[in-house]
Amino acid sequence: MNLYSSIAAIIFYAIATGMQYRALNRTLNQSSLIIGLAAVLCHALAAITAIHTADGMDLGVIQVLSLITWLICLITVSASLRRPLHNLLIPLYPLAAISLIAELLIPERQQLLQHQPLGVLCHILLSILAYSVLTIAATQAMVLALQDRMLRDHHLKGLPSILPPLQTMEAMLFELIWAGFILLTMAIVTGGIYVDDMLAQHLLHKTVFSVLSWILLAILLCGRIALGWRGKVAIRWTLWAFACLLLGYLGTKIALSIIIHITAI
């Protein structure tokens, strides 16, 4: 099931990318939208079957990255129905396809979870959702910075002509930051309630960086409300918060994978 759904998703992503690229600078291509939704559905099935195995939940790096790229595509496709964000799908579809190819070629079975309480599973799900939303926010912050710089340099062709207006991009950025902040708050709270013995479970590093990311996001949102922060200031704080989250999440997983591998040798 995982093999067939992964291959179908990869094919649909490739077709949708080509169709949307041909419709560049125009509105969302309806045929591309339908095929993109088919790709997202197939990707969902592939991601679920890769993580939910007969031996337990497999939360290896590649499996989680596949799930994250699926959530990013799902959120962006949904957002493009009400905002002119369809051109952002052109790089996101191939990224999701690459994650599926990596999942097929480099299978992992190192991070199996068995018989976990519902609270722990909720914490894991909220963490993945928060990371996915903030990944989109960080990506959009980088694109926004590039777009702003090109406009200031009077480069009106190319990327600025493809992307939505700066006001739309910035409004979408703060919507994503608010959503990611709420999800991260819920993830931290559920982790504090349901996850026991942080040191024994090698979660201290992840928790410290997650809390630091939460603090940076809280400062950014307070600055937005009280001082009207926007532009370069908002971009910097967003990227700093995401960098902390990245260090806490992927850094921990990669480190643990290396430790497990060395121990096995």
Side-chain angles (χ1 to χ4, degrees):
M1 180 66 71
N2 176 263
L3 175 63
Y4 296 140
S5 56
S6 296
I7 292 175
I10 292 168
I11 293 173
F12 284 138
Y13 276 135
I15 296 173
T17 301
M19 296 180 70
Q20 191 57 54
Y21 182 78
R22 292 181 62 185
L24 200 63
N25 291 326
R26 296 195 294 271
T27 59
L28 179 65
N29 185 285
Q30 296 299 322
S31 299
S32 171
L33 174 62
I34 294 172
I35 296 176
L37 288 173
V40 170
L41 290 174
C42 291
H43 193 166
L45 182 59
I48 291 172
T49 53
I51 290 178
H52 184 69
T53 69
D55 299 323
M57 290 184 65
D58 183 0
L59 294 176
V61 174
I62 296 176
Q63 282 71 25
V64 172
L65 284 176
S66 176
L67 182 61
I68 288 172
T69 56
W70 166 71
L71 287 169
I72 291 173
C73 285
L74 176 63
I75 292 170
T76 308
V77 169
S78 301
S80 67
L81 295 175
R82 59 187 180 87
R83 292 181 182 272
L85 303 172
H86 44 278
N87 286 335
L88 298 179
L89 296 170
I90 296 175
L92 291 180
Y93 283 157
L95 183 64
I98 290 172
S99 72
L100 286 168
I101 293 171
E103 189 178 77
L104 292 176
L105 297 180
I106 316 174
E108 288 188 340
R109 289 294 181 270
Q110 296 180 347
Q111 302 287 328
L112 293 177
L113 296 178
Q114 296 177 324
H115 311 298
Q116 293 295 326
L118 180 60
V120 174
L121 296 179
C122 288
H123 166 68
I124 294 171
L125 178 60
L126 289 168
S127 298
I128 293 174
L129 286 171
Y131 185 81
S132 302
V133 173
L134 291 174
T135 298
I136 302 175
T139 302
Q140 186 157 340
M142 290 186 287
V143 173
L144 185 61
L146 179 60
Q147 184 183 12
D148 180 66
R149 181 174 180 178
M150 293 182 72
L151 289 174
R152 289 179 185 274
D153 292 339
H154 304 289
H155 294 161
L156 303 180
K157 295 182 179 180
L159 187 64
S161 64
I162 297 172
L163 294 174
L166 277 175
Q167 294 82 355
T168 301
M169 292 286 286
E170 190 170 82
M172 184 65 183
L173 173 62
F174 276 96
E175 288 181 8
L176 290 170
I177 292 172
W178 271 110
F181 178 75
I182 293 171
L183 289 169
L184 184 59
T185 302
M186 296 172 66
I188 293 173
V189 171
T190 54
I193 295 174
Y194 296 107
V195 178
D196 299 323
D197 202 350
M198 304 290 283
L199 289 174
Q201 296 184 37
H202 307 284
L203 295 176
L204 181 60
H205 176 270
K206 175 185 172 183
T207 302
V208 170
F209 278 98
S210 296
V211 172
L212 181 57
S213 177
W214 184 91
I215 293 172
L216 292 174
L217 290 173
I219 294 173
L220 170 58
L221 292 173
C222 289
R224 172 72 169 182
I225 295 172
L227 304 174
W229 283 3
R230 59 191 300 273
K232 292 182 180 180
V233 176
I235 291 169
R236 284 198 296 267
W237 282 86
T238 302
L239 295 179
W240 288 340
F242 178 74
C244 291
L245 202 62
L246 186 65
L247 285 172
Y249 192 76
L250 284 183
T252 300
K253 279 193 165 295
I254 292 173
L256 287 177
S257 297
I258 293 173
I259 291 172
I260 292 173
H261 178 69
I262 293 175
T263 304
I265 295 176

